[in-house]
Amino acid sequence: MQTNARPSILRGAEKVPDPPKLYRRAINWSKDTKYLGVTLDSRLTYDKHITNINKKTRTAKARLYPLLGRKSKLSLKNKLLLYKTILRPIMTYASPVWGGGLQPPPEPRQNS
């Protein structure tokens, strides 16, 4: 019997217990795993997920450049439609989950 079990996430600096088993096969411990398209790590920082989303968005944007670029013959309305239907869903998928992992930009320092 073949199993496609995902790796388990080990949280923190706790002692590494024996790996869990599924159908008498050990499931290896991992620092991160992907669940429903969201990459979860042991500290729930979502850094790897945000990096993956950024990479996917840049790749899709590069592939759409002939249609979205300045020299494209498409109207602005159609370019906006491409952005809303292809790029924005990539960027915002599951954002209510991982959006809390974003760090706010530092506030500017004021000289006294």
Side-chain angles (χ1 to χ4, degrees), residues 3-52:
T3 62
N4 293 333
R6 300 223 176 227
S8 298
I9 294 180
L10 183 61
R11 293 191 48 107
E14 46 203 50
K15 181 181 175 247
V16 179
D18 292 334
K21 293 183 180 182
L22 181 65
Y23 299 113
R24 291 180 282 172
R25 291 187 181 198
I27 301 171
N28 297 329
W29 290 107
S30 175
K31 295 286 183 188
D32 55 57
T33 189
K34 199 167 197 177
Y35 183 70
L36 295 176
V38 178
T39 306
L40 302 169
D41 62 357
S42 60
R43 295 178 168 248
L44 295 177
T45 59
Y46 302 102
D47 290 339
K48 190 168 183 178
H49 177 73
I50 293 169
T51 302
N52 290 341

Short mmCIF file of all heavy atoms in Angstrom, two decimals, residues 3-52:
data_model
loop_
_atom_site.label_atom_id
_atom_site.label_comp_id
_atom_site.label_asym_id
_atom_site.label_seq_id
_atom_site.Cartn_x
_atom_site.Cartn_y
_atom_site.Cartn_z
N THR A 3 1.43 5.26 0.49
CA THR A 3 0.83 6.40 1.17
C THR A 3 1.50 7.68 0.70
O THR A 3 2.69 7.71 0.45
CB THR A 3 0.98 6.30 2.70
OG1 THR A 3 2.36 6.29 3.00
CG2 THR A 3 0.31 5.05 3.22
N ASN A 4 0.73 8.70 0.57
CA ASN A 4 1.26 10.02 0.21
C ASN A 4 1.08 10.95 1.40
O ASN A 4 0.51 12.01 1.29
CB ASN A 4 0.52 10.58 -1.02
CG ASN A 4 0.80 9.78 -2.26
OD1 ASN A 4 1.85 9.16 -2.36
ND2 ASN A 4 -0.13 9.78 -3.18
N ALA A 5 1.57 10.54 2.53
CA ALA A 5 1.41 11.33 3.75
C ALA A 5 2.32 12.54 3.72
O ALA A 5 3.45 12.48 3.27
CB ALA A 5 1.72 10.47 4.97
N ARG A 6 1.81 13.63 4.21
CA ARG A 6 2.60 14.87 4.29
C ARG A 6 3.48 14.80 5.53
O ARG A 6 3.13 14.16 6.52
CB ARG A 6 1.67 16.07 4.40
CG ARG A 6 0.78 16.17 3.21
CD ARG A 6 0.75 17.59 2.81
NE ARG A 6 -0.06 17.69 1.60
CZ ARG A 6 0.33 18.37 0.56
NH1 ARG A 6 1.46 18.99 0.58
NH2 ARG A 6 -0.42 18.45 -0.49
N PRO A 7 4.62 15.52 5.52
CA PRO A 7 5.47 15.52 6.71
C PRO A 7 4.79 16.26 7.86
O PRO A 7 4.02 17.18 7.65
CB PRO A 7 6.72 16.26 6.25
CG PRO A 7 6.37 16.93 4.98
CD PRO A 7 5.18 16.24 4.41
N SER A 8 5.09 15.86 9.07
CA SER A 8 4.56 16.52 10.26
C SER A 8 5.42 17.74 10.56
O SER A 8 6.59 17.78 10.25
CB SER A 8 4.61 15.58 11.45
OG SER A 8 3.81 14.46 11.20
N ILE A 9 4.82 18.74 11.20
CA ILE A 9 5.56 19.94 11.58
C ILE A 9 5.99 19.81 13.02
O ILE A 9 5.21 19.48 13.90
CB ILE A 9 4.70 21.21 11.41
CG1 ILE A 9 4.39 21.43 9.94
CG2 ILE A 9 5.43 22.43 11.96
CD1 ILE A 9 3.54 22.66 9.70
N LEU A 10 7.27 20.09 13.27
CA LEU A 10 7.81 20.08 14.62
C LEU A 10 7.90 21.50 15.10
O LEU A 10 8.51 22.36 14.48
CB LEU A 10 9.20 19.43 14.61
CG LEU A 10 9.87 19.27 15.95
CD1 LEU A 10 9.02 18.38 16.84
CD2 LEU A 10 11.25 18.66 15.77
N ARG A 11 7.24 21.82 16.21
CA ARG A 11 7.19 23.20 16.73
C ARG A 11 8.25 23.40 17.79
O ARG A 11 8.42 22.59 18.68
CB ARG A 11 5.82 23.47 17.33
CG ARG A 11 4.73 23.49 16.29
CD ARG A 11 3.47 24.02 16.89
NE ARG A 11 3.72 25.24 17.62
CZ ARG A 11 3.36 26.44 17.22
NH1 ARG A 11 2.75 26.59 16.09
NH2 ARG A 11 3.60 27.50 17.96
N GLY A 12 8.94 24.55 17.69
CA GLY A 12 9.86 24.99 18.73
C GLY A 12 11.09 24.12 18.90
O GLY A 12 11.46 23.35 18.03
N ALA A 13 11.73 24.27 20.04
CA ALA A 13 12.98 23.57 20.33
C ALA A 13 12.72 22.38 21.25
O ALA A 13 13.56 22.01 22.05
CB ALA A 13 13.97 24.53 20.96
N GLU A 14 11.57 21.78 21.13
CA GLU A 14 11.23 20.65 21.98
C GLU A 14 12.01 19.41 21.54
O GLU A 14 12.52 19.33 20.44
CB GLU A 14 9.73 20.40 21.94
CG GLU A 14 9.19 20.42 20.54
CD GLU A 14 7.72 20.73 20.47
OE1 GLU A 14 7.27 21.70 21.07
OE2 GLU A 14 7.05 19.97 19.78
N LYS A 15 12.11 18.45 22.45
CA LYS A 15 12.80 17.20 22.14
C LYS A 15 12.07 16.51 21.00
O LYS A 15 10.85 16.43 20.98
CB LYS A 15 12.83 16.32 23.38
CG LYS A 15 13.55 15.02 23.17
CD LYS A 15 13.52 14.17 24.42
CE LYS A 15 14.14 12.84 24.12
NZ LYS A 15 13.19 11.76 24.17
N VAL A 16 12.83 15.99 20.06
CA VAL A 16 12.25 15.36 18.88
C VAL A 16 11.70 13.99 19.27
O VAL A 16 12.46 13.08 19.60
CB VAL A 16 13.28 15.22 17.75
CG1 VAL A 16 12.66 14.53 16.54
CG2 VAL A 16 13.86 16.56 17.38
N PRO A 17 10.39 13.84 19.26
CA PRO A 17 9.82 12.52 19.56
C PRO A 17 9.92 11.62 18.34
O PRO A 17 10.30 12.04 17.26
CB PRO A 17 8.35 12.85 19.88
CG PRO A 17 8.08 14.09 19.11
CD PRO A 17 9.39 14.85 19.05
N ASP A 18 9.56 10.37 18.55
CA ASP A 18 9.52 9.45 17.42
C ASP A 18 8.53 9.97 16.39
O ASP A 18 7.49 10.54 16.76
CB ASP A 18 9.09 8.05 17.88
CG ASP A 18 10.12 7.39 18.75
OD1 ASP A 18 11.32 7.74 18.62
OD2 ASP A 18 9.75 6.55 19.59
N PRO A 19 8.84 9.81 15.12
CA PRO A 19 7.91 10.32 14.11
C PRO A 19 6.58 9.57 14.15
O PRO A 19 6.53 8.38 14.47
CB PRO A 19 8.64 10.09 12.79
CG PRO A 19 9.68 9.08 13.07
CD PRO A 19 10.01 9.18 14.52
N PRO A 20 5.49 10.27 13.83
CA PRO A 20 4.20 9.59 13.78
C PRO A 20 4.18 8.58 12.63
O PRO A 20 4.94 8.70 11.68
CB PRO A 20 3.21 10.72 13.53
CG PRO A 20 4.00 11.84 13.00
CD PRO A 20 5.39 11.68 13.49
N LYS A 21 3.31 7.61 12.75
CA LYS A 21 3.25 6.57 11.73
C LYS A 21 1.86 6.51 11.11
O LYS A 21 0.86 6.75 11.77
CB LYS A 21 3.59 5.21 12.33
CG LYS A 21 5.03 5.13 12.78
CD LYS A 21 5.37 3.76 13.30
CE LYS A 21 6.83 3.77 13.72
NZ LYS A 21 7.23 2.45 14.19
N LEU A 22 1.84 6.20 9.84
CA LEU A 22 0.61 6.01 9.09
C LEU A 22 0.77 4.72 8.32
O LEU A 22 1.69 4.60 7.50
CB LEU A 22 0.35 7.20 8.16
CG LEU A 22 -0.92 7.15 7.33
CD1 LEU A 22 -2.14 7.21 8.25
CD2 LEU A 22 -0.96 8.30 6.37
N TYR A 23 -0.08 3.75 8.59
CA TYR A 23 0.03 2.43 7.97
C TYR A 23 1.42 1.84 8.20
O TYR A 23 2.07 1.33 7.29
CB TYR A 23 -0.30 2.48 6.48
CG TYR A 23 -1.69 2.96 6.19
CD1 TYR A 23 -1.91 4.17 5.57
CD2 TYR A 23 -2.79 2.19 6.57
CE1 TYR A 23 -3.19 4.61 5.31
CE2 TYR A 23 -4.07 2.62 6.32
CZ TYR A 23 -4.27 3.83 5.68
OH TYR A 23 -5.54 4.27 5.43
N ARG A 24 1.91 1.96 9.43
CA ARG A 24 3.20 1.44 9.88
C ARG A 24 4.40 2.05 9.15
O ARG A 24 5.48 1.53 9.19
CB ARG A 24 3.24 -0.09 9.77
CG ARG A 24 2.32 -0.75 10.78
CD ARG A 24 2.37 -2.21 10.67
NE ARG A 24 1.56 -2.57 9.49
CZ ARG A 24 1.50 -3.77 8.97
NH1 ARG A 24 2.18 -4.74 9.49
NH2 ARG A 24 0.75 -4.01 7.94
N ARG A 25 4.21 3.18 8.48
CA ARG A 25 5.32 3.88 7.85
C ARG A 25 5.51 5.21 8.57
O ARG A 25 4.54 5.95 8.78
CB ARG A 25 5.04 4.15 6.37
CG ARG A 25 5.05 2.89 5.56
CD ARG A 25 4.95 3.25 4.13
NE ARG A 25 4.94 2.02 3.34
CZ ARG A 25 5.19 1.98 2.07
NH1 ARG A 25 5.45 3.08 1.41
NH2 ARG A 25 5.19 0.84 1.43
N ALA A 26 6.75 5.50 8.89
CA ALA A 26 7.05 6.74 9.61
C ALA A 26 6.87 7.94 8.69
O ALA A 26 7.22 7.91 7.52
CB ALA A 26 8.49 6.70 10.13
N ILE A 27 6.29 8.99 9.26
CA ILE A 27 6.14 10.26 8.55
C ILE A 27 7.24 11.17 9.08
O ILE A 27 7.28 11.47 10.27
CB ILE A 27 4.76 10.91 8.81
CG1 ILE A 27 3.65 9.96 8.37
CG2 ILE A 27 4.65 12.24 8.10
CD1 ILE A 27 2.27 10.42 8.78
N ASN A 28 8.14 11.60 8.22
CA ASN A 28 9.29 12.39 8.65
C ASN A 28 8.87 13.76 9.16
O ASN A 28 7.92 14.36 8.68
CB ASN A 28 10.27 12.57 7.49
CG ASN A 28 10.84 11.26 7.02
OD1 ASN A 28 10.99 10.34 7.82
ND2 ASN A 28 11.14 11.16 5.75
N TRP A 29 9.64 14.25 10.17
CA TRP A 29 9.42 15.59 10.69
C TRP A 29 9.94 16.59 9.67
O TRP A 29 10.90 16.35 8.96
CB TRP A 29 10.14 15.80 12.01
CG TRP A 29 9.53 15.02 13.14
CD1 TRP A 29 10.04 13.92 13.73
CD2 TRP A 29 8.29 15.28 13.79
NE1 TRP A 29 9.19 13.47 14.72
CE2 TRP A 29 8.11 14.29 14.77
CE3 TRP A 29 7.32 16.25 13.63
CZ2 TRP A 29 7.01 14.25 15.60
CZ3 TRP A 29 6.21 16.21 14.46
CH2 TRP A 29 6.06 15.22 15.43
N SER A 30 9.31 17.74 9.61
CA SER A 30 9.69 18.76 8.64
C SER A 30 9.57 20.13 9.30
O SER A 30 8.80 20.33 10.22
CB SER A 30 8.76 18.69 7.43
OG SER A 30 9.01 19.73 6.53
N LYS A 31 10.35 21.10 8.79
CA LYS A 31 10.25 22.47 9.30
C LYS A 31 9.02 23.17 8.75
O LYS A 31 8.53 24.12 9.34
CB LYS A 31 11.50 23.27 8.91
CG LYS A 31 12.76 22.77 9.55
CD LYS A 31 12.79 23.13 11.00
CE LYS A 31 14.10 22.68 11.61
NZ LYS A 31 14.12 22.83 13.02
N ASP A 32 8.54 22.75 7.59
CA ASP A 32 7.34 23.35 7.00
C ASP A 32 6.60 22.33 6.17
O ASP A 32 7.14 21.30 5.81
CB ASP A 32 7.70 24.58 6.15
CG ASP A 32 8.73 24.26 5.10
OD1 ASP A 32 8.49 23.36 4.27
OD2 ASP A 32 9.79 24.92 5.08
N THR A 33 5.34 22.64 5.90
CA THR A 33 4.52 21.79 5.05
C THR A 33 3.49 22.67 4.35
O THR A 33 3.21 23.79 4.77
CB THR A 33 3.83 20.68 5.86
OG1 THR A 33 3.21 19.77 4.97
CG2 THR A 33 2.79 21.24 6.81
N LYS A 34 2.95 22.15 3.28
CA LYS A 34 1.96 22.90 2.51
C LYS A 34 0.59 22.26 2.74
O LYS A 34 0.43 21.06 2.59
CB LYS A 34 2.33 22.85 1.02
CG LYS A 34 1.68 23.91 0.21
CD LYS A 34 2.34 23.97 -1.15
CE LYS A 34 1.99 25.27 -1.81
NZ LYS A 34 2.65 25.42 -3.07
N TYR A 35 -0.38 23.09 3.13
CA TYR A 35 -1.72 22.61 3.40
C TYR A 35 -2.71 23.56 2.73
O TYR A 35 -2.70 24.77 3.02
CB TYR A 35 -1.97 22.54 4.91
CG TYR A 35 -3.31 21.99 5.28
CD1 TYR A 35 -3.60 20.65 5.08
CD2 TYR A 35 -4.28 22.81 5.80
CE1 TYR A 35 -4.84 20.14 5.42
CE2 TYR A 35 -5.52 22.32 6.14
CZ TYR A 35 -5.79 20.98 5.94
OH TYR A 35 -7.02 20.48 6.26
N LEU A 36 -3.52 23.04 1.82
CA LEU A 36 -4.49 23.83 1.07
C LEU A 36 -3.85 25.05 0.39
O LEU A 36 -4.42 26.13 0.32
CB LEU A 36 -5.64 24.29 1.97
CG LEU A 36 -6.53 23.19 2.54
CD1 LEU A 36 -7.56 23.79 3.48
CD2 LEU A 36 -7.19 22.42 1.43
N GLY A 37 -2.63 24.87 -0.09
CA GLY A 37 -1.95 25.93 -0.82
C GLY A 37 -1.23 26.94 0.03
O GLY A 37 -0.62 27.87 -0.48
N VAL A 38 -1.28 26.79 1.36
CA VAL A 38 -0.60 27.72 2.26
C VAL A 38 0.56 26.97 2.90
O VAL A 38 0.38 25.91 3.48
CB VAL A 38 -1.56 28.24 3.35
CG1 VAL A 38 -0.84 29.16 4.32
CG2 VAL A 38 -2.74 28.95 2.72
N THR A 39 1.77 27.54 2.79
CA THR A 39 2.94 26.92 3.40
C THR A 39 3.00 27.31 4.86
O THR A 39 3.09 28.49 5.20
CB THR A 39 4.22 27.37 2.67
OG1 THR A 39 4.08 27.11 1.28
CG2 THR A 39 5.43 26.63 3.19
N LEU A 40 2.92 26.32 5.73
CA LEU A 40 2.95 26.52 7.17
C LEU A 40 4.31 26.12 7.70
O LEU A 40 4.82 25.06 7.34
CB LEU A 40 1.88 25.68 7.86
CG LEU A 40 0.44 25.91 7.41
CD1 LEU A 40 -0.46 24.83 7.98
CD2 LEU A 40 -0.03 27.28 7.82
N ASP A 41 4.92 26.96 8.54
CA ASP A 41 6.18 26.57 9.17
C ASP A 41 5.95 26.40 10.67
O ASP A 41 4.86 26.63 11.18
CB ASP A 41 7.30 27.58 8.87
CG ASP A 41 7.02 28.96 9.41
OD1 ASP A 41 5.95 29.18 9.96
OD2 ASP A 41 7.90 29.82 9.27
N SER A 42 6.99 25.98 11.35
CA SER A 42 6.84 25.63 12.77
C SER A 42 6.51 26.84 13.64
O SER A 42 5.94 26.69 14.71
CB SER A 42 8.11 24.95 13.27
OG SER A 42 9.21 25.82 13.12
N ARG A 43 6.83 28.04 13.20
CA ARG A 43 6.55 29.24 14.00
C ARG A 43 5.38 30.05 13.45
O ARG A 43 5.09 31.13 13.96
CB ARG A 43 7.79 30.12 14.07
CG ARG A 43 8.92 29.47 14.81
CD ARG A 43 10.13 30.37 14.80
NE ARG A 43 11.09 29.85 15.74
CZ ARG A 43 11.42 30.47 16.86
NH1 ARG A 43 10.87 31.61 17.17
NH2 ARG A 43 12.30 29.94 17.66
N LEU A 44 4.74 29.58 12.42
CA LEU A 44 3.61 30.25 11.77
C LEU A 44 3.95 31.69 11.37
O LEU A 44 3.14 32.60 11.54
CB LEU A 44 2.38 30.22 12.67
CG LEU A 44 1.80 28.84 12.96
CD1 LEU A 44 0.63 28.94 13.91
CD2 LEU A 44 1.41 28.13 11.69
N THR A 45 5.14 31.89 10.79
CA THR A 45 5.53 33.21 10.34
C THR A 45 5.14 33.45 8.88
O THR A 45 5.10 34.58 8.44
CB THR A 45 7.05 33.42 10.46
OG1 THR A 45 7.71 32.43 9.66
CG2 THR A 45 7.50 33.35 11.90
N TYR A 46 4.88 32.41 8.14
CA TYR A 46 4.45 32.47 6.75
C TYR A 46 5.50 33.10 5.82
O TYR A 46 5.17 33.51 4.72
CB TYR A 46 3.11 33.22 6.59
CG TYR A 46 2.00 32.60 7.40
CD1 TYR A 46 1.60 33.16 8.60
CD2 TYR A 46 1.37 31.44 6.98
CE1 TYR A 46 0.59 32.59 9.35
CE2 TYR A 46 0.37 30.87 7.72
CZ TYR A 46 -0.02 31.44 8.90
OH TYR A 46 -1.01 30.87 9.64
N ASP A 47 6.75 33.19 6.26
CA ASP A 47 7.80 33.78 5.41
C ASP A 47 7.96 32.99 4.12
O ASP A 47 8.04 33.58 3.03
CB ASP A 47 9.14 33.82 6.15
CG ASP A 47 9.14 34.85 7.27
OD1 ASP A 47 8.29 35.77 7.23
OD2 ASP A 47 9.98 34.73 8.18
N LYS A 48 8.03 31.68 4.22
CA LYS A 48 8.21 30.86 3.03
C LYS A 48 6.99 30.97 2.11
O LYS A 48 7.11 31.03 0.89
CB LYS A 48 8.47 29.41 3.41
CG LYS A 48 8.89 28.56 2.25
CD LYS A 48 9.41 27.22 2.70
CE LYS A 48 9.88 26.43 1.51
NZ LYS A 48 10.44 25.15 1.88
N HIS A 49 5.81 31.04 2.69
CA HIS A 49 4.59 31.18 1.89
C HIS A 49 4.59 32.50 1.13
O HIS A 49 4.28 32.54 -0.06
CB HIS A 49 3.35 31.08 2.77
CG HIS A 49 2.07 31.28 2.02
ND1 HIS A 49 1.57 30.32 1.18
CD2 HIS A 49 1.23 32.33 1.94
CE1 HIS A 49 0.46 30.78 0.62
NE2 HIS A 49 0.24 32.00 1.07
N ILE A 50 4.94 33.57 1.81
CA ILE A 50 4.96 34.89 1.16
C ILE A 50 6.01 34.92 0.06
O ILE A 50 5.77 35.48 -1.01
CB ILE A 50 5.18 35.99 2.22
CG1 ILE A 50 3.95 36.06 3.13
CG2 ILE A 50 5.45 37.34 1.57
CD1 ILE A 50 4.12 36.90 4.36
N THR A 51 7.15 34.28 0.29
CA THR A 51 8.19 34.18 -0.75
C THR A 51 7.66 33.42 -1.95
O THR A 51 7.87 33.82 -3.10
CB THR A 51 9.44 33.50 -0.18
OG1 THR A 51 9.90 34.24 0.94
CG2 THR A 51 10.54 33.42 -1.23
N ASN A 52 6.96 32.30 -1.71
CA ASN A 52 6.38 31.51 -2.81
C ASN A 52 5.35 32.31 -3.59
O ASN A 52 5.31 32.27 -4.82
CB ASN A 52 5.75 30.23 -2.28
CG ASN A 52 6.77 29.24 -1.78
OD1 ASN A 52 7.94 29.32 -2.12
ND2 ASN A 52 6.33 28.32 -0.96
#
